[in-house]
Amino acid sequence: MPPLNLGNHQPQTPLNADQAWRATAPRAAETVLFFDFDGTLAPVDDDPTAVQPAPKVLAAIQALAPAVQRVAIVSARPVDFLRDHFGGLPGVDLYGLYGLEHSHSGGETVTEPAALPWVPTMAELAELARAELPPGTLTEYKRLSVALHY
């Protein structure tokens, strides 16, 4: 298989999983894989609290983690949510709230210090949204962000 994106050209066709791994495997020890939670590792659902990783995702990540330099799961959700779903997987980093929080390989959750002054503002915004938005709107308070689902 020829090198990928040689000369920074667009690939002619998308690679399937086997082709992508064959192209990556020789450099696996230097490879970092980033996966988004919603819509990639888990289906999008009307109830964001009920979403679970797709079948076989945990096994696939568990197999990938020791084969590459690092696996990271990135999400708009808090690290605690991600930890509930992936916390038992060794060698997996979790990045939550658009990167404002992170946990490396099961360690403690670290919050970006510059974001902390915004916690009261986000709590106030969530309260206002719950009080003023029409019925049927779900306000999801995430400490450092607020998501509105309708």
Side-chain angles (χ1 to χ4, degrees):
M1 172 180 292
L4 295 177
N5 219 2
L6 188 61
N8 208 21
H9 300 289
Q10 286 285 357
Q12 296 296 330
T13 59
L15 300 178
N16 66 34
D18 290 333
Q19 291 169 327
W21 182 248
R22 281 196 306 273
T24 303
R27 299 181 307 274
E30 305 157 1
T31 300
V32 178
L33 299 173
F34 291 85
F35 298 100
D36 185 33
F37 181 75
D38 287 295
T40 301
L41 299 180
V44 174
D45 193 278
D46 288 341
D47 180 357
T49 63
V51 174
Q52 296 293 320
K56 301 182 183 178
V57 162
L58 295 175
I61 290 176
Q62 192 167 11
L64 278 173
V68 297
Q69 181 179 11
R70 184 157 312 280
V71 171
I73 298 172
V74 182
S75 180
R77 296 170 181 269
V79 164
D80 285 344
F81 176 91
L82 297 173
R83 189 185 315 277
D84 288 345
H85 292 82
F86 300 101
L89 297 177
V92 175
D93 293 344
L94 306 174
Y95 290 87
L97 300 175
Y98 310 98
L100 295 174
E101 296 181 334
H102 64 270
S103 171
H104 292 286
S105 207
E108 70 178 273
T109 299
V110 177
T111 301
E112 176 62 39
L116 292 173
W118 292 95
V119 171
T121 303
M122 293 298 108
E124 182 181 343
L125 177 63
E127 286 181 36
L128 286 169
R130 287 186 186 109
E132 296 181 13
L133 291 175
T137 304
L138 171 64
T139 301
E140 186 182 9
Y141 171 64
K142 303 179 187 184
R143 193 172 71 102
L144 295 171
S145 69
V146 176
L148 304 175
H149 304 267
Y150 56 94

